[in-house]
Amino acid sequence: EEQEEDTLRELRLFLRSVTERLSRDRRFKAFTKPVDLEEVPDYITVIQHPMDLSTILSKIDLHKYVTAREFVYDMDLIWKNALEYNPDSDPADRQIRHRACALKDTVHAIIRDELDEDFNRICERIRDSR
Ligand SMILES: CC(=O)c1nc(NC(=O)[C@H]2CNCCN2)sc1-c1cc(O)cc(O)c1
């Protein structure tokens, strides 16, 4: 009903604010757009589920997320993919792994600090009812 739509609109506003904050952070530049599969043809052979911040922003606007949990699942894909694709000891791999870990820590800290537990429970109940 109307209250549910008001709740989901507020969730989208929060998720957009988080995603845009991350997209402005210089450390996360490599995560802002899909990996170019023409530039990196082996990427799709290693990573089954590519994800990036612009795709998450599009999914927010397509009303794909009814809970923060679904949003965090996609955010976790971004840094997990980067760790999987960059396992080597060379400096380029180490740098992107460090940035992937920073993304993980930043996302989880924002959700811990800024998502109200009761608001989250209301979203989870809407999700369960659908
Ligand atoms: C996002 C990601 O996982 C990524 N990984 C890379 N790894 C490497 O280049 C390592 C791989 N091992 C051998 C030495 N090179 S480059 C890169 C990337 C960076 C961007 O600025 C944009 C973009 O679309 C992708």
Side-chain angles (χ1 to χ4, degrees):
E1 79 265 23
E2 196 45 42
Q3 283 88 328
E4 288 193 358
E5 287 318 309
D6 290 344
T7 301
L8 297 182
R9 193 172 302 109
E10 182 171 352
L11 175 69
R12 289 194 298 273
L13 284 172
F14 170 66
L15 298 183
R16 257 186 226 104
S17 80
V18 175
T19 307
E20 284 163 358
R21 212 180 320 169
L22 295 171
S23 300
R24 287 194 298 269
D25 189 318
R26 290 199 319 269
R27 295 174 295 172
F28 308 141
K29 181 96 178 74
F31 309 130
T32 55
K33 296 288 181 205
V35 172
D36 186 330
L37 303 182
E38 267 139 51
E39 273 173 40
V40 191
D42 77 322
Y43 190 77
I44 203 65
T45 66
V46 176
I47 299 300
Q48 270 70 47
H49 302 290
M51 188 49 65
D52 68 280
L53 294 170
S54 72
T55 299
I56 287 177
L57 206 55
S58 301
K59 287 183 72 171
I60 294 168
D61 293 341
L62 290 166
H63 298 197
K64 298 289 188 183
Y65 303 121
V66 176
T67 63
R69 177 199 312 267
E70 297 155 344
F71 168 84
V72 171
Y73 183 88
D74 278 351
M75 282 289 180
D76 286 350
L77 273 180
I78 296 176
W79 58 263
K80 287 178 181 177
N81 288 344
L83 295 183
E84 185 179 350
Y85 186 68
N86 295 282
D88 303 334
S89 66
D90 85 52
D93 287 45
R94 288 204 168 126
Q95 181 182 62
I96 199 127
R97 288 205 302 272
H98 191 265
R99 289 167 168 169
C101 294
L103 179 65
K104 172 193 176 188
D105 294 344
T106 305
V107 170
H108 288 255
I110 289 174
I111 296 296
R112 183 196 62 221
D113 297 347
E114 300 181 26
L115 178 63
D116 179 82
E117 289 175 22
D118 292 331
F119 178 81
N120 185 53
R121 269 190 280 275
I122 293 168
C123 293
E124 293 278 354
R125 284 183 70 85
I126 293 172
R127 164 92 280 170
D128 295 344
S129 78
R130 294 190 174 190

